[in-house]
mmCIF file of all heavy atoms in Angstrom:
data_model
loop_
_atom_site.group_PDB
_atom_site.id
_atom_site.type_symbol
_atom_site.label_atom_id
_atom_site.label_comp_id
_atom_site.label_asym_id
_atom_site.label_seq_id
_atom_site.Cartn_x
_atom_site.Cartn_y
_atom_site.Cartn_z
ATOM 1 N N LEU A 21 -27.532 12.112 5.704
ATOM 2 C CA LEU A 21 -26.297 11.345 5.851
ATOM 3 C C LEU A 21 -26.571 9.854 6.019
ATOM 4 O O LEU A 21 -25.718 9.024 5.695
ATOM 5 C CB LEU A 21 -25.493 11.852 7.049
ATOM 6 C CG LEU A 21 -24.852 13.233 6.913
ATOM 7 C CD1 LEU A 21 -24.185 13.638 8.218
ATOM 8 C CD2 LEU A 21 -23.848 13.268 5.769
ATOM 9 N N ALA A 22 -27.742 9.528 6.533
ATOM 10 C CA ALA A 22 -28.080 8.119 6.763
ATOM 11 C C ALA A 22 -28.782 7.478 5.566
ATOM 12 O O ALA A 22 -29.013 6.257 5.577
ATOM 13 C CB ALA A 22 -28.962 7.996 7.996
ATOM 14 N N GLU A 23 -29.119 8.262 4.564
ATOM 15 C CA GLU A 23 -29.789 7.702 3.398
ATOM 16 C C GLU A 23 -28.875 6.692 2.698
ATOM 17 O O GLU A 23 -27.678 6.912 2.570
ATOM 18 C CB GLU A 23 -30.172 8.817 2.431
ATOM 19 C CG GLU A 23 -31.312 9.691 2.936
ATOM 20 C CD GLU A 23 -31.614 10.852 2.000
ATOM 21 O OE1 GLU A 23 -30.884 11.015 1.002
ATOM 22 O OE2 GLU A 23 -32.576 11.593 2.282
ATOM 23 N N GLY A 24 -29.448 5.605 2.267
ATOM 24 C CA GLY A 24 -28.656 4.565 1.613
ATOM 25 C C GLY A 24 -28.113 3.519 2.562
ATOM 26 O O GLY A 24 -27.584 2.492 2.122
ATOM 27 N N LEU A 25 -28.222 3.755 3.864
ATOM 28 C CA LEU A 25 -27.785 2.766 4.840
ATOM 29 C C LEU A 25 -28.949 1.839 5.190
ATOM 30 O O LEU A 25 -30.080 2.284 5.345
ATOM 31 C CB LEU A 25 -27.279 3.449 6.105
ATOM 32 C CG LEU A 25 -26.059 4.369 5.966
ATOM 33 C CD1 LEU A 25 -25.718 4.972 7.325
ATOM 34 C CD2 LEU A 25 -24.869 3.615 5.390
ATOM 35 N N SER A 26 -28.649 0.577 5.301
ATOM 36 C CA SER A 26 -29.666 -0.378 5.732
ATOM 37 C C SER A 26 -29.825 -0.309 7.245
ATOM 38 O O SER A 26 -29.014 0.318 7.943
ATOM 39 C CB SER A 26 -29.252 -1.798 5.338
ATOM 40 O OG SER A 26 -28.108 -2.199 6.091
ATOM 41 N N ASP A 27 -30.866 -0.964 7.757
ATOM 42 C CA ASP A 27 -31.039 -1.027 9.204
ATOM 43 C C ASP A 27 -29.832 -1.691 9.848
ATOM 44 O O ASP A 27 -29.366 -1.268 10.918
ATOM 45 C CB ASP A 27 -32.314 -1.800 9.551
ATOM 46 C CG ASP A 27 -32.658 -1.684 11.040
ATOM 47 O OD1 ASP A 27 -32.164 -2.520 11.819
ATOM 48 O OD2 ASP A 27 -33.396 -0.761 11.406
ATOM 49 N N ALA A 28 -29.272 -2.705 9.182
ATOM 50 C CA ALA A 28 -28.084 -3.381 9.716
ATOM 51 C C ALA A 28 -26.885 -2.444 9.733
ATOM 52 O O ALA A 28 -26.132 -2.388 10.715
ATOM 53 C CB ALA A 28 -27.779 -4.627 8.888
ATOM 54 N N ASP A 29 -26.685 -1.697 8.638
ATOM 55 C CA ASP A 29 -25.591 -0.717 8.594
ATOM 56 C C ASP A 29 -25.701 0.262 9.759
ATOM 57 O O ASP A 29 -24.697 0.631 10.373
ATOM 58 C CB ASP A 29 -25.642 0.100 7.291
ATOM 59 C CG ASP A 29 -25.298 -0.698 6.055
ATOM 60 O OD1 ASP A 29 -24.569 -1.702 6.166
ATOM 61 O OD2 ASP A 29 -25.776 -0.307 4.970
ATOM 62 N N ALA A 30 -26.916 0.708 10.022
ATOM 63 C CA ALA A 30 -27.152 1.750 11.020
ATOM 64 C C ALA A 30 -27.137 1.221 12.446
ATOM 65 O O ALA A 30 -27.151 2.012 13.393
ATOM 66 C CB ALA A 30 -28.485 2.433 10.744
ATOM 67 N N THR A 31 -27.109 -0.097 12.619
ATOM 68 C CA THR A 31 -27.174 -0.707 13.948
ATOM 69 C C THR A 31 -25.820 -1.160 14.458
ATOM 70 O O THR A 31 -25.529 -1.068 15.648
ATOM 71 C CB THR A 31 -28.132 -1.914 13.927
ATOM 72 O OG1 THR A 31 -29.444 -1.473 13.576
ATOM 73 C CG2 THR A 31 -28.179 -2.614 15.272
ATOM 74 N N ALA A 32 -24.945 -1.634 13.571
ATOM 75 C CA ALA A 32 -23.691 -2.250 13.993
ATOM 76 C C ALA A 32 -22.725 -1.221 14.578
ATOM 77 O O ALA A 32 -22.721 -0.050 14.204
ATOM 78 C CB ALA A 32 -23.045 -2.964 12.813
ATOM 79 N N GLN A 33 -21.894 -1.697 15.491
ATOM 80 C CA GLN A 33 -20.888 -0.873 16.169
ATOM 81 C C GLN A 33 -19.552 -1.589 16.037
ATOM 82 O O GLN A 33 -19.406 -2.734 16.464
ATOM 83 C CB GLN A 33 -21.261 -0.700 17.645
ATOM 84 C CG GLN A 33 -20.301 0.122 18.469
ATOM 85 C CD GLN A 33 -20.735 0.235 19.921
ATOM 86 O OE1 GLN A 33 -21.541 -0.568 20.408
ATOM 87 N NE2 GLN A 33 -20.222 1.215 20.645
ATOM 88 N N SER A 34 -18.558 -0.914 15.457
ATOM 89 C CA SER A 34 -17.301 -1.584 15.120
ATOM 90 C C SER A 34 -16.271 -1.551 16.238
ATOM 91 O O SER A 34 -15.314 -2.323 16.229
ATOM 92 C CB SER A 34 -16.702 -0.962 13.859
ATOM 93 O OG SER A 34 -16.558 0.437 14.014
ATOM 94 N N MET A 35 -16.407 -0.657 17.199
ATOM 95 C CA MET A 35 -15.475 -0.576 18.334
ATOM 96 C C MET A 35 -16.107 0.297 19.406
ATOM 97 O O MET A 35 -17.102 0.996 19.161
ATOM 98 C CB MET A 35 -14.126 0.011 17.895
ATOM 99 C CG MET A 35 -14.211 1.437 17.368
ATOM 100 S SD MET A 35 -12.573 2.155 17.089
ATOM 101 C CE MET A 35 -13.031 3.727 16.338
ATOM 102 N N ASP A 36 -15.517 0.281 20.592
ATOM 103 C CA ASP A 36 -16.083 1.039 21.706
ATOM 104 C C ASP A 36 -16.108 2.536 21.443
ATOM 105 O O ASP A 36 -17.018 3.238 21.903
ATOM 106 C CB ASP A 36 -15.282 0.782 22.988
ATOM 107 C CG ASP A 36 -15.454 -0.631 23.521
ATOM 108 O OD1 ASP A 36 -16.244 -1.399 22.927
ATOM 109 O OD2 ASP A 36 -14.797 -0.975 24.523
ATOM 110 N N ASP A 37 -15.098 3.062 20.727
ATOM 111 C CA ASP A 37 -15.026 4.502 20.475
ATOM 112 C C ASP A 37 -16.098 4.985 19.507
ATOM 113 O O ASP A 37 -16.418 6.178 19.477
ATOM 114 C CB ASP A 37 -13.657 4.887 19.909
ATOM 115 C CG ASP A 37 -12.561 4.863 20.963
ATOM 116 O OD1 ASP A 37 -12.885 5.013 22.160
ATOM 117 O OD2 ASP A 37 -11.389 4.690 20.593
ATOM 118 N N ALA A 38 -16.607 4.090 18.685
ATOM 119 C CA ALA A 38 -17.593 4.459 17.664
ATOM 120 C C ALA A 38 -19.001 4.155 18.149
ATOM 121 O O ALA A 38 -19.210 3.357 19.074
ATOM 122 C CB ALA A 38 -17.316 3.707 16.372
ATOM 123 N N SER A 39 -19.977 4.792 17.521
ATOM 124 C CA SER A 39 -21.385 4.533 17.823
ATOM 125 C C SER A 39 -22.133 4.245 16.533
ATOM 126 O O SER A 39 -21.746 4.733 15.461
ATOM 127 C CB SER A 39 -22.029 5.736 18.526
ATOM 128 O OG SER A 39 -21.445 5.963 19.779
ATOM 129 N N PRO A 40 -23.201 3.471 16.597
ATOM 130 C CA PRO A 40 -23.990 3.200 15.391
ATOM 131 C C PRO A 40 -24.675 4.454 14.856
ATOM 132 O O PRO A 40 -25.017 5.375 15.621
ATOM 133 C CB PRO A 40 -25.033 2.182 15.873
ATOM 134 C CG PRO A 40 -24.489 1.627 17.150
ATOM 135 C CD PRO A 40 -23.699 2.732 17.766
ATOM 136 N N THR A 41 -24.893 4.497 13.566
ATOM 137 C CA THR A 41 -25.622 5.609 12.945
ATOM 138 C C THR A 41 -26.965 5.829 13.632
ATOM 139 O O THR A 41 -27.362 6.965 13.919
ATOM 140 C CB THR A 41 -25.832 5.327 11.452
ATOM 141 O OG1 THR A 41 -24.563 5.307 10.797
ATOM 142 C CG2 THR A 41 -26.720 6.370 10.809
ATOM 143 N N LYS A 42 -27.661 4.752 13.886
ATOM 144 C CA LYS A 42 -28.972 4.830 14.517
ATOM 145 C C LYS A 42 -28.892 5.509 15.882
ATOM 146 O O LYS A 42 -29.758 6.317 16.248
ATOM 147 C CB LYS A 42 -29.529 3.410 14.650
ATOM 148 C CG LYS A 42 -30.981 3.291 14.985
ATOM 149 C CD LYS A 42 -31.474 1.864 14.765
ATOM 150 C CE LYS A 42 -30.816 0.873 15.693
ATOM 151 N NZ LYS A 42 -31.330 -0.501 15.475
ATOM 152 N N TRP A 43 -27.826 5.217 16.627
ATOM 153 C CA TRP A 43 -27.664 5.823 17.945
ATOM 154 C C TRP A 43 -27.404 7.319 17.808
ATOM 155 O O TRP A 43 -27.962 8.121 18.563
ATOM 156 C CB TRP A 43 -26.520 5.139 18.703
ATOM 157 C CG TRP A 43 -26.450 5.572 20.135
ATOM 158 C CD1 TRP A 43 -27.077 5.004 21.204
ATOM 159 C CD2 TRP A 43 -25.749 6.721 20.637
ATOM 160 N NE1 TRP A 43 -26.801 5.716 22.351
ATOM 161 C CE2 TRP A 43 -25.987 6.774 22.034
ATOM 162 C CE3 TRP A 43 -24.939 7.693 20.065
ATOM 163 C CZ2 TRP A 43 -25.448 7.768 22.847
ATOM 164 C CZ3 TRP A 43 -24.401 8.695 20.870
ATOM 165 C CH2 TRP A 43 -24.657 8.721 22.250
ATOM 166 N N HIS A 44 -26.565 7.735 16.863
ATOM 167 C CA HIS A 44 -26.321 9.170 16.660
ATOM 168 C C HIS A 44 -27.625 9.904 16.354
ATOM 169 O O HIS A 44 -27.886 10.984 16.889
ATOM 170 C CB HIS A 44 -25.346 9.393 15.500
ATOM 171 C CG HIS A 44 -23.924 9.037 15.800
ATOM 172 N ND1 HIS A 44 -23.201 9.629 16.809
ATOM 173 C CD2 HIS A 44 -23.078 8.149 15.209
ATOM 174 C CE1 HIS A 44 -21.974 9.127 16.832
ATOM 175 N NE2 HIS A 44 -21.878 8.230 15.877
ATOM 176 N N LEU A 45 -28.437 9.329 15.484
ATOM 177 C CA LEU A 45 -29.703 9.966 15.101
ATOM 178 C C LEU A 45 -30.651 10.081 16.294
ATOM 179 O O LEU A 45 -31.377 11.076 16.436
ATOM 180 C CB LEU A 45 -30.373 9.173 13.981
ATOM 181 C CG LEU A 45 -29.635 9.121 12.638
ATOM 182 C CD1 LEU A 45 -30.361 8.175 11.677
ATOM 183 C CD2 LEU A 45 -29.513 10.512 12.027
ATOM 184 N N ALA A 46 -30.642 9.075 17.154
ATOM 185 C CA ALA A 46 -31.535 9.083 18.311
ATOM 186 C C ALA A 46 -30.997 9.958 19.444
ATOM 187 O O ALA A 46 -31.755 10.704 20.076
ATOM 188 C CB ALA A 46 -31.750 7.658 18.808
ATOM 189 N N HIS A 47 -29.703 9.889 19.687
ATOM 190 C CA HIS A 47 -29.122 10.668 20.783
ATOM 191 C C HIS A 47 -29.312 12.168 20.574
ATOM 192 O O HIS A 47 -29.641 12.894 21.513
ATOM 193 C CB HIS A 47 -27.628 10.348 20.914
ATOM 194 C CG HIS A 47 -26.892 11.322 21.779
ATOM 195 N ND1 HIS A 47 -27.056 11.403 23.150
ATOM 196 C CD2 HIS A 47 -25.982 12.292 21.455
ATOM 197 C CE1 HIS A 47 -26.285 12.362 23.644
ATOM 198 N NE2 HIS A 47 -25.631 12.925 22.631
ATOM 199 N N THR A 48 -29.113 12.636 19.353
ATOM 200 C CA THR A 48 -29.282 14.063 19.097
ATOM 201 C C THR A 48 -30.735 14.482 19.260
ATOM 202 O O THR A 48 -31.018 15.632 19.634
ATOM 203 C CB THR A 48 -28.761 14.422 17.692
ATOM 204 O OG1 THR A 48 -29.302 13.518 16.723
ATOM 205 C CG2 THR A 48 -27.240 14.346 17.645
ATOM 206 N N SER A 49 -31.658 13.576 19.025
ATOM 207 C CA SER A 49 -33.074 13.857 19.272
ATOM 208 C C SER A 49 -33.363 13.861 20.774
ATOM 209 O O SER A 49 -34.133 14.699 21.274
ATOM 210 C CB SER A 49 -33.949 12.821 18.565
ATOM 211 O OG SER A 49 -33.735 12.861 17.173
ATOM 212 N N TRP A 50 -32.750 12.909 21.477
ATOM 213 C CA TRP A 50 -32.896 12.873 22.941
ATOM 214 C C TRP A 50 -32.421 14.174 23.562
ATOM 215 O O TRP A 50 -33.021 14.667 24.522
ATOM 216 C CB TRP A 50 -32.091 11.690 23.487
ATOM 217 C CG TRP A 50 -31.960 11.695 24.978
ATOM 218 C CD1 TRP A 50 -32.837 11.169 25.891
ATOM 219 C CD2 TRP A 50 -30.886 12.280 25.746
ATOM 220 N NE1 TRP A 50 -32.379 11.397 27.175
ATOM 221 C CE2 TRP A 50 -31.181 12.066 27.111
ATOM 222 C CE3 TRP A 50 -29.712 12.944 25.413
ATOM 223 C CZ2 TRP A 50 -30.347 12.497 28.141
ATOM 224 C CZ3 TRP A 50 -28.871 13.386 26.428
ATOM 225 C CH2 TRP A 50 -29.197 13.162 27.775
ATOM 226 N N PHE A 51 -31.356 14.771 23.043
ATOM 227 C CA PHE A 51 -30.839 16.030 23.572
ATOM 228 C C PHE A 51 -31.914 17.113 23.531
ATOM 229 O O PHE A 51 -32.185 17.784 24.537
ATOM 230 C CB PHE A 51 -29.612 16.458 22.764
ATOM 231 C CG PHE A 51 -28.927 17.690 23.289
ATOM 232 C CD1 PHE A 51 -27.807 17.588 24.097
ATOM 233 C CD2 PHE A 51 -29.394 18.968 22.982
ATOM 234 C CE1 PHE A 51 -27.166 18.726 24.591
ATOM 235 C CE2 PHE A 51 -28.763 20.108 23.462
ATOM 236 C CZ PHE A 51 -27.654 19.982 24.269
ATOM 237 N N PHE A 52 -32.531 17.293 22.366
ATOM 238 C CA PHE A 52 -33.582 18.316 22.252
ATOM 239 C C PHE A 52 -34.804 17.950 23.095
ATOM 240 O O PHE A 52 -35.410 18.818 23.738
ATOM 241 C CB PHE A 52 -33.990 18.488 20.791
ATOM 242 C CG PHE A 52 -32.965 19.203 19.950
ATOM 243 C CD1 PHE A 52 -32.279 18.540 18.958
ATOM 244 C CD2 PHE A 52 -32.687 20.545 20.160
ATOM 245 C CE1 PHE A 52 -31.327 19.191 18.179
ATOM 246 C CE2 PHE A 52 -31.741 21.218 19.390
ATOM 247 C CZ PHE A 52 -31.054 20.526 18.396
ATOM 248 N N GLU A 53 -35.178 16.686 23.089
ATOM 249 C CA GLU A 53 -36.361 16.275 23.844
ATOM 250 C C GLU A 53 -36.154 16.483 25.342
ATOM 251 O O GLU A 53 -37.053 16.972 26.042
ATOM 252 C CB GLU A 53 -36.672 14.803 23.567
ATOM 253 C CG GLU A 53 -37.919 14.319 24.313
ATOM 254 C CD GLU A 53 -38.271 12.881 23.990
ATOM 255 O OE1 GLU A 53 -37.433 11.992 24.291
ATOM 256 O OE2 GLU A 53 -39.362 12.642 23.444
ATOM 257 N N THR A 54 -34.950 16.138 25.824
ATOM 258 C CA THR A 54 -34.692 16.184 27.259
ATOM 259 C C THR A 54 -34.493 17.594 27.783
ATOM 260 O O THR A 54 -35.146 18.025 28.741
ATOM 261 C CB THR A 54 -33.456 15.327 27.583
ATOM 262 O OG1 THR A 54 -33.708 13.979 27.181
ATOM 263 C CG2 THR A 54 -33.122 15.369 29.066
ATOM 264 N N PHE A 55 -33.584 18.333 27.154
ATOM 265 C CA PHE A 55 -33.168 19.619 27.717
ATOM 266 C C PHE A 55 -34.062 20.778 27.305
ATOM 267 O O PHE A 55 -33.997 21.855 27.911
ATOM 268 C CB PHE A 55 -31.713 19.908 27.343
ATOM 269 C CG PHE A 55 -30.752 18.896 27.913
ATOM 270 C CD1 PHE A 55 -29.854 18.219 27.100
ATOM 271 C CD2 PHE A 55 -30.756 18.605 29.258
ATOM 272 C CE1 PHE A 55 -28.974 17.285 27.620
ATOM 273 C CE2 PHE A 55 -29.879 17.661 29.803
ATOM 274 C CZ PHE A 55 -28.992 17.001 28.982
ATOM 275 N N LEU A 56 -34.918 20.560 26.309
ATOM 276 C CA LEU A 56 -35.822 21.638 25.888
ATOM 277 C C LEU A 56 -37.287 21.246 26.008
ATOM 278 O O LEU A 56 -38.043 21.857 26.759
ATOM 279 C CB LEU A 56 -35.486 22.059 24.453
ATOM 280 C CG LEU A 56 -34.201 22.897 24.387
ATOM 281 C CD1 LEU A 56 -33.502 22.743 23.069
ATOM 282 C CD2 LEU A 56 -34.528 24.365 24.654
ATOM 283 N N LEU A 57 -37.700 20.195 25.327
ATOM 284 C CA LEU A 57 -39.123 19.855 25.304
ATOM 285 C C LEU A 57 -39.612 19.342 26.654
ATOM 286 O O LEU A 57 -40.619 19.818 27.191
ATOM 287 C CB LEU A 57 -39.384 18.823 24.213
ATOM 288 C CG LEU A 57 -39.091 19.283 22.782
ATOM 289 C CD1 LEU A 57 -39.229 18.130 21.799
ATOM 290 C CD2 LEU A 57 -40.021 20.435 22.384
ATOM 291 N N ARG A 58 -38.922 18.360 27.213
ATOM 292 C CA ARG A 58 -39.361 17.794 28.490
ATOM 293 C C ARG A 58 -39.337 18.821 29.605
ATOM 294 O O ARG A 58 -40.272 18.892 30.424
ATOM 295 C CB ARG A 58 -38.454 16.613 28.856
ATOM 296 C CG ARG A 58 -38.844 15.895 30.152
ATOM 297 C CD ARG A 58 -37.693 15.100 30.709
ATOM 298 N NE ARG A 58 -36.598 15.972 31.176
ATOM 299 C CZ ARG A 58 -35.444 15.514 31.664
ATOM 300 N NH1 ARG A 58 -35.217 14.219 31.729
ATOM 301 N NH2 ARG A 58 -34.509 16.371 32.078
ATOM 302 N N ASP A 59 -38.264 19.620 29.644
ATOM 303 C CA ASP A 59 -38.057 20.520 30.780
ATOM 304 C C ASP A 59 -38.755 21.866 30.643
ATOM 305 O O ASP A 59 -38.976 22.547 31.652
ATOM 306 C CB ASP A 59 -36.553 20.763 30.983
ATOM 307 C CG ASP A 59 -35.827 19.536 31.496
ATOM 308 O OD1 ASP A 59 -36.503 18.544 31.825
ATOM 309 O OD2 ASP A 59 -34.575 19.563 31.558
ATOM 310 N N HIS A 60 -39.129 22.261 29.408
ATOM 311 C CA HIS A 60 -39.589 23.642 29.233
ATOM 312 C C HIS A 60 -40.868 23.807 28.407
ATOM 313 O O HIS A 60 -41.292 24.938 28.200
ATOM 314 C CB HIS A 60 -38.471 24.475 28.595
ATOM 315 C CG HIS A 60 -37.220 24.513 29.415
ATOM 316 N ND1 HIS A 60 -37.114 25.227 30.580
ATOM 317 C CD2 HIS A 60 -36.021 23.891 29.239
ATOM 318 C CE1 HIS A 60 -35.898 25.062 31.093
ATOM 319 N NE2 HIS A 60 -35.221 24.261 30.303
ATOM 320 N N VAL A 61 -41.451 22.724 27.951
ATOM 321 C CA VAL A 61 -42.675 22.851 27.153
ATOM 322 C C VAL A 61 -43.812 22.159 27.902
ATOM 323 O O VAL A 61 -43.819 20.924 28.055
ATOM 324 C CB VAL A 61 -42.497 22.234 25.745
ATOM 325 C CG1 VAL A 61 -43.809 22.289 24.968
ATOM 326 C CG2 VAL A 61 -41.397 22.981 24.988
#
Side-chain angles (χ1 to χ4, degrees):
L21 290 176
E23 289 176 356
L25 298 179
S26 68
D27 190 272
D29 291 334
T31 299
Q33 180 181 19
S34 55
M35 62 172 175
D36 291 357
D37 286 335
S39 296
T41 295
K42 193 167 65 179
W43 189 90
H44 287 300
L45 295 174
H47 166 70
T48 49
S49 299
W50 170 86
F51 185 98
F52 287 112
E53 181 177 62
T54 300
F55 297 126
L56 285 152
L57 297 173
R58 182 200 67 183
D59 290 353
H60 300 287
V61 176

